[in-house]
Amino acid sequence: MRLRFQMKSAVLAFVFFLVIIPQFTVGIRMIPGRISAVSAAVGNGFDFGPFAEAPEYRNGKECASQSSNRENFVSSCDVSLVHVAMTLDSEYLRGSIAAVHSMLRHASCPENVFFHFIAAEFDPASPRVLSQLVRSTFPSLNFKVYIFREDTVINLISSSIRQALENPLNYARNYLGDILDQCVDRVIYLDSDIIVVDDITKLWNTTLTGSRIIGAPEYCHANFTKYFTSGFWSDPALPGVFSGRKPCYFNTGVMVMDLVRWREGNYREKLETWMQIQKKKRIYDLGSLPPFLLVFAGDVEAIDHRWNQHGLGGDNVRGSCRSLHKGPVSLLHWSGKGKPWVRLDEKRPCPLDHLWEPYDLYEHKIERAKDQALLGFSSLSELTEDSSFL
């Protein structure tokens, strides 16, 4: 009887670790080193690495008052933290890891950054596995993983100029007000193909004036009409949505969002309305961007262009090399078809791809082959196929 009780207790403890612990947001130090060992341990059939464990980034003296409570549970509701939301998926994992690494390296108070990761319910890697991978790479990271149900949006998605833009997770930004804890009233949304080379706190300190819901770098010199079809502009009613506004293009891969006003204004429903219209009559060719332009363009808090040097992945068809825009740089964004890790691995990098490389925690092919031989499983497909959601 006593032995049975001990075995039952051990099983319950194991279940507690698998189910309850992943919900915690304080980093748990797992076995350091290569993430492929974690993948093999959970038996999911995927090789996600290996990824090296990131350096331990700690707060400086000026952050002492904020870090005094870091020994205990860190709440996703803590308004004193910088809140960053990103998607997390098996195909795009390498970019996400590099993005987080870049933010921690350049943050003045890295322990004061809280990451909200949105993972798809039916991703080839479960949200629990992705959570383990993040924890192993960043043992002290404050984060929480949320599950996004693809069926929430899948029936609203129309075909796009590039298949990757049709991935349901690309639309998770539309649902941040519903997905994130209701206590989260403000967040920075970032795409996964970015690196930050400045203190993320500076972007967090953006003031949204008046009744504005989002802030983003605007590009008013861009040809705004090209983001919609001729059928949209020739429609007798649809262009009237911009009446009284001076719409400018903005990239939705970098946004500061007021989630309180977002929820109060039912902006998720407003975006869905335009997606429903798109299903009936084709009014744009891109993915999740045009509905944001329809709802917000002309009413966006303009943020300095240094916070989204976008388009570094080239266009959506060829993914050709591009150079930086003029001016200072705080964030580089490989929006477009070309991704730096793909081009680097294929030994055809663009010049700016080498700026991404120092933040890459992926341990390259020679080390990877050694690890796989030791672990006793063969190489699976590389996670370098273009899977942009941007």
Side-chain angles (χ1 to χ4, degrees):
M1 180 68 70
R2 183 177 180 181
L3 179 60
R4 184 182 299 174
F5 176 79
Q6 290 174 337
M7 291 179 65
K8 184 176 181 180
S9 298
V11 171
L12 289 174
F14 181 69
V15 172
F16 178 84
F17 177 80
L18 289 181
V19 177
I20 303 299
I21 294 299
Q23 302 301 318
F24 289 0
T25 53
V26 177
I28 298 173
R29 182 173 292 277
M30 300 176 67
I31 299 174
R34 294 169 175 78
I35 306 305
S36 54
V38 178
S39 299
V42 297
N44 63 352
F46 283 84
D47 171 23
F48 290 109
F51 288 96
E53 182 177 306
E56 196 80 4
Y57 294 104
R58 293 294 186 183
N59 286 353
K61 293 181 179 179
E62 70 278 9
C63 310
S65 60
Q66 292 289 346
S67 61
S68 60
N69 294 323
R70 290 298 178 264
E71 295 179 359
N72 300 315
F73 174 77
V74 179
S75 172
S76 61
C77 299
D78 191 339
V79 296
S80 70
L81 303 178
V82 174
H83 292 266
V84 177
M86 301 177 68
T87 57
L88 192 67
D89 73 293
S90 55
E91 290 186 282
Y92 226 50
L93 182 63
R94 190 169 169 185
S96 301
I97 294 293
V100 172
H101 187 203
S102 70
M103 278 179 267
L104 296 177
R105 180 181 290 188
H106 294 284
S108 57
C109 301
E111 294 178 79
N112 294 354
V113 184
F114 193 103
F115 288 89
H116 303 264
F117 294 117
I118 297 92
E121 182 180 17
F122 298 113
D123 190 274
S126 70
R128 180 174 65 85
V129 169
L130 293 172
S131 179
Q132 289 177 319
L133 293 170
V134 173
R135 290 190 186 282
S136 295
T137 311
F138 305 102
S140 300
L141 192 70
N142 299 317
F143 75 96
K144 182 172 182 177
V145 175
Y146 304 77
I147 297 176
F148 176 60
R149 294 181 54 184
E150 293 101 322
D151 59 4
T152 301
V153 70
I154 196 166
N155 291 328
L156 292 172
I157 297 175
S158 58
S159 60
S160 181
I161 193 173
R162 184 156 56 92
Q163 187 175 3
L165 300 176
E166 301 169 23
N167 191 299
L169 198 59
N170 191 39
Y171 293 82
R173 72 197 81 188
N174 299 24
Y175 297 88
L176 290 180
D178 303 290
I179 298 172
L180 303 191
D181 294 331
Q182 293 296 298
C183 58
V184 181
D185 56 13
R186 179 182 171 90
V187 74
I188 298 171
Y189 175 81
L190 296 176
D191 279 337
S192 296
D193 54 353
I194 62 101
I195 58 170
V196 176
V197 293
D198 202 345
D199 185 0
I200 192 68
T201 305
K202 296 178 182 177
L203 181 58
W204 177 252
N205 289 335
T206 298
T207 299
L208 300 179
T209 59
S211 59
R212 285 175 174 154
I213 312 299
I214 65 172
E218 287 187 305
Y219 302 88
C220 294
H221 62 278
N223 183 2
F224 189 80
T225 60
K226 72 178 183 179
Y227 294 100
F228 303 95
T229 64
S230 58
F232 172 85
W233 294 112
S234 62
D235 189 276
L238 294 180
V241 67
F242 296 118
S243 178
R245 290 193 274 163
K246 183 182 178 182
C248 295
Y249 165 78
F250 65 95
N251 181 280
T252 54
V254 179
M255 296 186 291
V256 178
M257 307 176 68
D258 184 328
L259 294 182
V260 174
R261 292 174 179 169
W262 179 283
R263 296 176 183 120
E264 290 174 349
N266 296 319
Y267 282 92
R268 182 255 301 167
E269 294 180 6
K270 293 177 181 179
L271 293 171
E272 287 181 336
T273 296
W274 283 110
M275 294 174 69
Q276 291 165 351
I277 293 174
Q278 164 76 349
K279 295 286 285 187
K280 296 177 181 178
K281 54 175 74 175
R282 193 167 181 82
I283 59 174
Y284 54 80
D285 293 321
L286 289 174
S288 61
L289 168 65
F292 268 86
L293 297 179
L294 288 161
V295 174
F296 293 107
D299 194 21
V300 172
E301 189 70 40
I303 296 175
D304 194 291
H305 289 175
R306 68 189 303 156
W307 284 104
N308 195 353
Q309 287 269 351
H310 68 285
L312 304 186
D315 59 36
N316 279 303
V317 178
R318 294 173 299 172
S320 55
C321 295
R322 289 185 178 176
S323 57
L324 290 173
H325 309 297
K326 293 181 180 179
V329 179
S330 293
L331 183 149
L332 294 91
H333 186 184
W334 277 263
S335 56
K337 183 178 181 181
K339 303 304 169 188
W341 55 91
V342 177
R343 298 192 291 212
L344 286 164
D345 285 354
E346 293 180 350
K347 300 188 184 305
R348 54 176 185 85
C350 293
L352 290 178
D353 294 343
H354 294 292
L355 298 177
W356 180 89
E357 196 169 13
Y359 305 97
D360 185 15
L361 291 173
Y362 177 80
E363 293 186 336
H364 297 286
K365 296 179 181 178
I366 295 178
E367 282 295 321
R368 181 182 185 186
K370 292 179 181 178
D371 285 351
Q372 290 169 342
L374 291 172
L375 291 168
F377 55 87
S378 59
S379 175
L380 300 176
S381 60
E382 300 288 333
L383 295 179
T384 53
E385 181 181 353
D386 176 53
S387 59
S388 170
F389 297 157
L390 310 183

